[in-house]
Amino acid sequence: MAEPIVLLENLSYQYPGASAPALRDVNLRVERGEFVGIVGPTGAGKTTLCLALNGTVPQFYGGRFFGRALVAGLDTLEHPIHDLARHVGMVFQDPEAQLLTTSVENEVAFALENLCVPPEAIRARVARALAAVRLQGLEKKRPHELSGGQKQRLAIAAALALEPDLLVLDEPTTQLDPVGQEEVFATVARLNREQGVTVVMASHAVEYLAEHATRLVILDQGQVLQVGPPRDVLAQVEQLEALGLRVPQVTRFYHLMQARGERLPTLPVTQDEALAQYRGLRGRWRIRSDGAAVAASPPREGPPLIEVEDLRHVYPDGTEALRGVSLRVWPGEYVVIVGQNGAGKSTLAKHVVHLLEPTSGTVRVGGEDVRGLSTAALAQRVGFISQNPDNQIFTTRVEEEVAFALRARRVPEAEVQRRVAWALEEMGLAPYRDRHPLSLPKGDRARLVVAAVLAMGPDILIFDEPTTGQDPQGARRILDLSRRLQEQGKTVLVITHHLYLMPPYAERAVVMARGAILLDAPLRQAFHAVDVLRQSDLQPPQIVLFARALAAWEGVDLPILTEEELAARVEVTGEMEHGGV
Amino acid sequence: MVGFDPFGPGARDTFFRHLDFRSKVAILGVATFLAFLWDSPVTTGALAAVVVLLCLLAGLRKEYLLRMGLIMLPFFALVLLTHGFLNTYVGRTALWTAPADWPLVGGWLWLTREGLLYGLMVIFRTITLVLVIPLVVFTTELDELVVGLVRLRVPYKVAFVLASTLRFVPLLLGEVQSIMEAQRLRGLETSRMGLLQRARIYSRIAVPLILGALVRSQQIEVVLASRAFSGSAERTYLHTTRLRTADYLVLGATLAVAVAAVVGLALWGVGRFHGPL
């Protein structure tokens, strides 16, 4: 048998100062040409495992390391990281943090220069690497001017230029929009398929992994729970969901049917498989054509709470980020704003809190033009929760964090105490009131920021990309929270490109692209407006696409949003049709 | 990075960007040398004018120049007044004398012509020194800066650290901005606060800023190692710099100006405060 690219034997590792090991007794063998996906909840050890593959763990971090890690036949304890770099190309999560130079070609050349490759050879390898990720022609461009997806492809090219035996990617798409994600997966899958590059990738994007990976590793609390082909691993729907992980929506739909007593030989994990399996049932399942018609918009009474009229915004560099946007939001609504990066979603939201000045047009909150109000004054009515909680934490104690702004605004101390206690209780953070905010896990830090905002007593809450960088469970927790706040009478706006998460929460969707609103409709209608979504480089959730394919096949109307809704529309007739399909 | 680079994106193709780093360092060196060699307001004024002109030709944004000017204005006023009233070494041609019946200063506080001129010279010198550094640093891509410095025999590690620091500045400024935004979103209105309270609020920026910077620098270290960076000076360069005709012209011109200035000063006193100019 050929020598494996990766051989981990009883690998355990504990970061210095950590109370528990990050990896426990990991055994893994990766063969040449494989595409191994690593899946697990936040804190499962995915990043640590990736970092162990080029020696960063333990060489950079120190800590306690047991067992053995061989990569391309080299013991990662015996070879310095910059030597192992010849064999292992690394791509990290944050596209910004891995840019080291000021031109695309220098970025790719950097590692080669460090390895003393002669300039002529560098030129050839840079050209090859850029062609492999389809960035040729951009050699002289500044990396900072590239889109998120392009930046990650550049990072892949920088790794590929080393002609490594192994390409390791640690959640390379979590900070990208759907187009960026698509670009990165397409690139990696092609490199694996056509050039035989061995890939290890940690990711939450199960739909893509199901499509491209040859094997999946399920990691939890530092332990490998399962290793196998996607079809076998993802079929363990209950086990994965218990870990807070997702399975592809089509898999989940078939699993629901299985739970209804349907006997299925296998659970499909990709959309193609799912369709093939449906066709193979030859009419045993029938789609009921009744049920959820497109719901009419709820009646809106009284004056709108947020009123945006013909808003234009041009940034100082001349970019026209908003081109005449009009939007009205009524009290108690839950609105999701979707669109690709640069569509103008955040720019729009920032006008509502007067962080940006309209170039023309007006924004009114509660009937009052925001132009006459400061951001700080608006903060009493509009809570704006931006993406990175760590930029929004200013103190060293949880309780103080919530009280911070109130005290600065000279709210009477008794009132401060009352509001802090209430906000912490609401967010489930009361037990941690004396902790250091940064000692809390990321999801709790995000909730702490929400608590601090809630203490101001706003009746509008705007969440800007709350689910980016969260694992599925973390994302759902934040969204559950947003729904609870809506139920308490708050008006909620969520900006996101994670469409699949939104059906249980939002009622209304605003689709934006290139500074304009393309569609403002009930969620059900918007998620089935495939062409409109495509104009904003978005794709409806997999289950919507699957339902549309079924609807076309059966000639029925099937405006479902979730796996449950689809399963409810399927009737089992008990007999197979014979003859032509 | 919007708003930081004082040279707009349009400046990328000006002649100055195409000069070799060594030529720019020569300009920097000679300008600094002349600024200290001369103390005549005429020659230093001409020097400052040349540097401002070079900056504009290199694409420096006018808003940036104006903003710098506004920031420096109080300092300039102070320099002018101090020298005008108190510098009595360079000459005593009184333009104005405090009336004798003024308490304390009456009769002996003069505003002198020479003092004012000397103050003007100090202002010109400051303008030269303040503008010539961004002229060189911001018109050079950081990658070229590294290569250029290495060519000038600066150790690679030092050059790399310098370039990385410069890269960090706009990132940190962006971070500061987003943290201050977050504070406003929490309802903190610094414009309505007293100085002390405002200082307390601003000091809070340090918490997320320092932690963010630490996290980021650790990330960069990991990325560097994974790109085979060991800090060793033994490495190759995709682009090495080459002196072109324009560079030889600049190098020759700067050398000629420096020699001429020294000779002019020694023989005819050109550039001396009480000299012919």
Side-chain angles (χ1 to χ4, degrees), chain A residues 261-540:
Chain A
E262 273 298 274
R263 275 209 209 123
L264 299 166
T266 55
L267 283 181
V269 295
T270 67
Q271 180 159 334
D272 289 346
E273 287 174 20
L275 276 173
Q277 188 149 351
Y278 183 84
R279 286 171 193 162
L281 289 165
R282 297 192 180 182
R284 224 174 88 72
W285 290 2
R286 275 188 211 285
I287 309 266
R288 279 188 292 115
S289 54
D290 63 305
V294 171
S297 326
R300 288 153 182 159
E301 284 161 18
L305 190 55
I306 301 172
E307 209 175 353
V308 178
E309 247 179 68
D310 205 18
L311 179 64
R312 271 185 74 239
H313 187 83
V314 182
Y315 280 107
D317 66 356
T319 315
E320 194 178 5
L322 293 176
R323 320 163 180 250
V325 166
S326 297
L327 178 72
R328 289 160 158 211
V329 178
W330 277 265
E333 277 198 292
Y334 192 127
V335 182
V336 58
I337 303 178
V338 299
Q340 87 264 64
N341 284 351
K345 312 183 293 286
S346 294
T347 306
L348 173 60
K350 282 183 172 178
H351 277 89
V352 179
V353 281
H354 201 194
L355 273 180
L356 291 173
E357 199 69 42
T359 305
S360 68
T362 51
V363 179
R364 279 189 284 273
V365 172
E368 212 174 331
D369 194 328
V370 298
R371 237 183 281 237
L373 300 165
S374 68
T375 298
L378 272 165
Q380 315 299 308
R381 293 190 226 165
V382 189
F384 187 100
I385 295 122
S386 53
Q387 196 188 111
N388 179 3
D390 298 341
N391 265 351
Q392 306 168 65
I393 290 175
F394 309 106
T395 68
T396 48
R397 260 179 70 228
V398 165
E399 184 188 22
E400 207 189 327
E401 187 63 38
V402 180
F404 173 53
L406 297 173
R407 288 197 180 120
R409 293 188 69 89
R410 302 188 190 278
V411 174
E413 190 53 33
E415 176 69 10
V416 171
Q417 292 300 338
R418 197 187 61 76
R419 289 212 221 167
V420 168
W422 170 79
L424 288 178
E425 194 58 49
E426 271 305 302
M427 293 302 106
L429 291 171
Y432 310 122
R433 54 191 307 152
D434 291 318
R435 288 268 293 269
H436 194 294
L438 296 171
S439 72
L440 302 176
K442 185 169 179 188
D444 286 350
R445 294 206 296 278
R447 284 220 300 277
L448 175 57
V449 173
V450 179
V453 164
L454 274 186
M456 313 285 297
D459 31 58
I460 303 169
L461 288 160
I462 301 177
F463 293 84
D464 190 0
E465 309 267 6
T467 54
T468 301
Q470 300 272 351
D471 68 359
Q473 196 170 17
R476 267 195 298 269
R477 268 205 203 120
I478 291 185
L479 291 173
D480 284 344
L481 178 70
S482 68
R483 184 172 51 194
R484 230 182 50 234
L485 294 168
Q486 187 216 6
E487 285 162 3
Q488 292 173 9
K490 313 269 184 206
T491 305
V492 177
L493 261 71
V494 173
I495 297 171
T496 185
H497 37 236
H498 286 151
L499 270 57
Y500 65 88
L501 285 167
M502 296 318 297
Y505 307 102
E507 295 136 10
R508 176 179 164 199
V510 172
V511 183
M512 291 187 72
R514 290 167 287 277
I517 292 180
L518 298 185
L519 180 69
D520 180 354
L523 194 75
R524 192 175 297 282
Q525 191 183 330
F527 275 27
H528 280 267
V530 180
D531 293 333
V532 177
L533 292 175
R534 196 162 293 143
Q535 283 180 51
S536 190
D537 296 324
L538 295 173
Q539 248 197 1

Side-chain angles (χ1 to χ4, degrees), chain A residues 54 60-61 81-82 85 92 97-103 105-107 109-111 113-117 119 122-123 142 144-145 158 350 355 374-376 379 384 390-394 400-401 404-405 408-410 438 452 456, chain B residues 1-2 5 12 17 141-144 156 160 167 171 175 178-179 181-189 192-193 197 201 204-205 207-208 211 216 218-230 234-239:
Chain A
N54 83 335
F60 179 78
Y61 289 102
I81 305 171
H82 56 262
F92 300 94
Q98 37 192 329
L99 300 176
L100 303 172
T101 69
T102 53
S103 80
E105 61 176 351
N106 280 342
E107 194 65 35
F110 183 74
E113 294 174 333
N114 289 330
L115 293 172
C116 297
V117 176
I122 294 183
R123 236 175 288 277
R142 291 179 193 214
H144 291 279
E145 292 168 358
K350 282 183 172 178
L355 273 180
S374 68
T375 298
F384 187 100
D390 298 341
N391 265 351
Q392 306 168 65
I393 290 175
F394 309 106
E400 207 189 327
E401 187 63 38
F404 173 53
R409 293 188 69 89
R410 302 188 190 278
L438 296 171
M456 313 285 297
Chain B
M1 276 214 261
V2 178
D5 189 354
R12 211 176 290 171
R17 296 248 160 165
E141 290 287 341
L142 292 177
D143 297 347
E144 290 166 28
Y156 174 67
F160 186 83
R167 252 171 53 79
L171 290 179
E175 205 100 310
S178 86
I179 294 168
E181 255 179 27
Q183 290 196 333
R184 282 161 67 200
L185 287 169
R186 283 280 198 92
L188 299 177
E189 208 148 4
R192 290 206 190 154
M193 288 176 179
Q197 202 189 1
I201 299 294
R204 298 293 190 168
I205 294 175
V207 175
L211 282 163
R216 204 184 282 271
Q218 201 179 45
Q219 276 174 342
I220 289 181
E221 255 184 282
V222 170
V223 172
L224 279 172
S226 76
R227 299 266 184 91
F229 177 87
S230 59
E234 209 178 296
R235 73 196 296 279
T236 51
Y237 296 89
L238 173 59
H239 295 291

